[in-house]
Amino acid sequence: MRAYKILPVLALSAFALVGLNCPPPGGGDDTGGDDTGATGTDDTGGVVGGFDGTISGDVRVQLYDIDSDGEYVYKDWSVWDGNFPFGSIWVYAFNTDESTGDETYYANQSVLTPSVDGDSYSMTFTAAAGAVRVGAQLDFYADGVMGTSDPMGIYPDAVSVTDGSTASGVDITILTYWNNSSGGGGCDGTGGGNGDGSSTISGDIIITEAYAAGDAVAMLFSNGDGPVGNSMDVITPEPSGGGAEGAYAFSVCASNGELDLAGVWDSNFNSVFDADDKAGPYISEPDVDGNPVNVGENLEDHDIQIPLGDYSIDIVPFVNLSGVVSHTDGAFSGGTVTVGALKYKPSGEFSAADIADAAYDYQEFDTSTGATSLDYSLDVPSNTIVYLLAWDNEDGDGLINESDEAVGSGSSSSNGRLPTGSTSQVIDISLAPYDGD
C-alpha cells in the first residue's frame, strides 16, 4: 500500500504549553467556543446495518511558541490582531483497525471559516460499532489540503453512541505553532525544464468513477510527505463518459529530484482535501502506477488516475503509550497514583482535579490494596510532544507534584518530555522521591 501519512495534535495555571511538531517547527482536546464558522457538508456515509448516532462539541486552535529552553509556551491571538490566519478545520469520526492501522471514517465535517474563539460541530452518522474516536485537523497553510505536516488534535477517549442518541461535549483543541508564514524563496534560478531552476508538470486528472461534484488537486510527495511546498494545482473536473477529467499544470523546483506525483478528489464534497477523499497516482498507462517521477525536467502528458490502488492521504490520528508503573521503594504509599500525558510542562504542585484539563489522557489508581505495580495505557496525538509523568499522592491532600512526594518520568528528561512519533510505545515508569527541581 502506498499511503501518504499525515504526521501530522486548557488550563494554563501551573503549566507551560506543549504543542504539536507541526510546520515550521511543528494536536489535543479541551475547550471550544461559539459556532461562528461557516460549516461544510457533513458526510453521513458509514456501514450499512449499524445505527444512527450524533456527536457534537467544539473545536478550537491554541497557539504556541518555543522558548529559549526548547519548551512550548502559550501565545494568545493578539499576535494576529485577533484574526485567524489559517485555513479550514476538518473534524472526523473514525475507528482504527488495530491489525492494519487503517482508519474507517464514519462521518466528517469541515469548518471552512474558523474563529479564534472556537467553533461548534455536530455529526450524525451510521456506525457499525457503539464507540468511535474523534479527531480534528487544521489546514495550517490555508492551501486547501490537509497535508502531512498539518497539525491535528484528538479527543482522548473513544466516544460511545447508541441508536438515536447524542454524545455532546466532545471538545477538541488543536495545538498550533503561532506563525504560518511559509518563508523561503523560489528555486535556485538555473536549470530545470524552465531554465530558472523550476520544471513544469502537466497533464489531466482523470476520475474513473461516477462524478457528481468536487474539485481535484494534483500535487507531489517526497517519501510520503506532502504536498511538497506550494507545488500543486486545484481544478474542477468536467464530466466525461462515466467519470470526469480536467487539465492541471504546476511548477516545482527541479532540485527536488525524484518525487511521487498524485491526485486527490474531494469525493466527500466537504470543500477540503482530506484522508477520507479518494486519490490516485500518475499513470504511465491506464491502471498502471508510473511513480516516481524526476522533476529535473518538464513533464508533459502526466495523467493522474483517481481512484487507483491503495493511494490515499493516510493519517495517524493517535498513538498509545503504555507500560508498568513501579516504585523504587518496592511499594506505593497506599494513596492515589496518577499517570498523565500532559500538554504542558508542570511547574510546582497542582491540584489533581486539574489533570483532566492539563492532559491529553490520564489514569488514576487506588493503591490501598497493596499493589506493587500498575499497568497504564494512554492515548495521545501522534507526532507531537507530551510530558509523560506519574505521581504518588502520598499525603492524600489532592495535590500532586509536591516536594518529597514520589514522581516518575516517562522519558530521559526529568520533566517527562516525550516525542510521541507515529507508532505506539511501551514505556515503564519508576517512581522515586521528588527532589523539588
Side-chain angles (χ1 to χ4, degrees), residues 192-216:
N194 298 322
D196 60 358
S198 72
S199 296
T200 298
I201 306 173
S202 60
D204 290 333
I205 296 177
I206 304 169
I207 297 172
T208 58
E209 291 189 351
Y211 175 82
D215 288 345

Side-chain angles (χ1 to χ4, degrees), residues 27-381:
D29 67 280
D30 214 355
T31 57
D34 297 330
D35 185 14
T36 54
T39 302
T41 301
D42 182 8
D43 175 22
T44 56
V47 180
V48 175
F51 55 82
D52 290 334
T54 299
I55 294 177
S56 65
D58 298 321
V59 59
R60 67 186 289 263
V61 172
Q62 173 65 65
L63 304 178
Y64 73 86
D65 198 0
I66 302 175
D67 67 15
S68 59
D69 296 323
E71 303 295 348
Y72 287 65
V73 294
Y74 164 82
K75 293 188 79 71
D76 62 40
W77 287 98
S78 63
V79 298
W80 286 103
D81 295 326
N83 298 314
F84 193 91
F86 309 103
S88 302
I89 294 175
W90 180 53
V91 187
Y92 50 94
F94 70 102
N95 272 327
T96 301
D97 187 309
E98 293 184 1
S99 61
T100 66
D102 294 336
E103 278 72 43
T104 296
Y105 297 95
Y106 300 108
N108 71 85
Q109 187 174 24
S110 53
V111 181
L112 300 181
T113 54
S115 70
V116 299
D117 296 321
D119 303 277
S120 297
Y121 74 88
S122 179
M123 299 180 291
T124 299
F125 58 96
T126 300
V132 296
R133 306 303 301 252
V134 184
Q137 188 177 14
L138 172 69
D139 180 8
F140 187 82
Y141 286 119
D143 56 15
V145 180
M146 297 295 169
T148 302
S149 60
D150 285 329
M152 63 173 52
I154 63 164
Y155 190 73
D157 301 313
V159 179
S160 296
V161 289
T162 58
D163 193 15
S165 72
T166 297
S168 59
V170 183
D171 301 335
I172 302 173
T173 291
I174 304 173
L175 297 178
T176 302
Y177 186 69
W178 75 276
N179 191 348
N180 68 343
S181 299
S182 58
C187 302
D188 61 14
T190 60
N194 298 322
D196 60 358
S198 72
S199 296
T200 298
I201 306 173
S202 60
D204 290 333
I205 296 177
I206 304 169
I207 297 172
T208 58
E209 291 189 351
Y211 175 82
D215 288 345
V217 60
M219 52 189 170
L220 293 162
F221 291 82
S222 174
N223 297 318
D225 296 342
V228 174
N230 295 318
S231 302
M232 67 178 71
D233 187 24
V234 177
I235 68 165
T236 301
E238 294 290 334
S240 176
E245 62 181 87
Y248 77 88
F250 62 87
S251 295
V252 61
C253 290
S255 58
N256 283 301
E258 282 196 345
L259 297 168
D260 285 337
L261 174 62
V264 178
W265 165 36
D266 181 19
S267 55
N268 58 21
F269 317 128
N270 63 1
S271 300
V272 297
F273 298 107
D274 57 60
D276 191 39
D277 286 326
K278 295 181 179 180
Y282 153 65
I283 52 173
S284 54
E285 58 183 272
D287 302 321
V288 177
D289 186 343
N291 280 319
V293 299
N294 193 318
V295 301
E297 58 185 6
N298 288 344
L299 303 174
E300 299 179 347
D301 301 319
H302 272 53
D303 295 341
I304 295 169
Q305 182 175 330
I306 302 174
L308 180 62
D310 292 323
Y311 272 79
S312 66
I313 301 177
D314 188 14
I315 67 174
V316 182
F318 70 94
V319 295
N320 180 261
L321 306 178
S322 63
V324 176
V325 180
S326 58
H327 199 296
T328 56
D329 292 341
F332 302 108
S333 67
T336 300
V337 169
T338 303
V339 185
L342 302 182
K343 304 171 188 176
Y344 319 100
K345 175 186 174 182
S347 177
E349 64 187 38
F350 60 97
S351 171
D354 292 336
I355 192 73
D357 288 332
Y360 287 109
D361 201 2
Y362 73 98
Q363 284 183 281
E364 291 182 341
F365 300 91
D366 180 1
T367 65
S368 61
T369 58
T372 58
S373 64
L374 305 167
D375 296 325
Y376 78 92
S377 177
L378 308 176
D379 291 333
V380 298

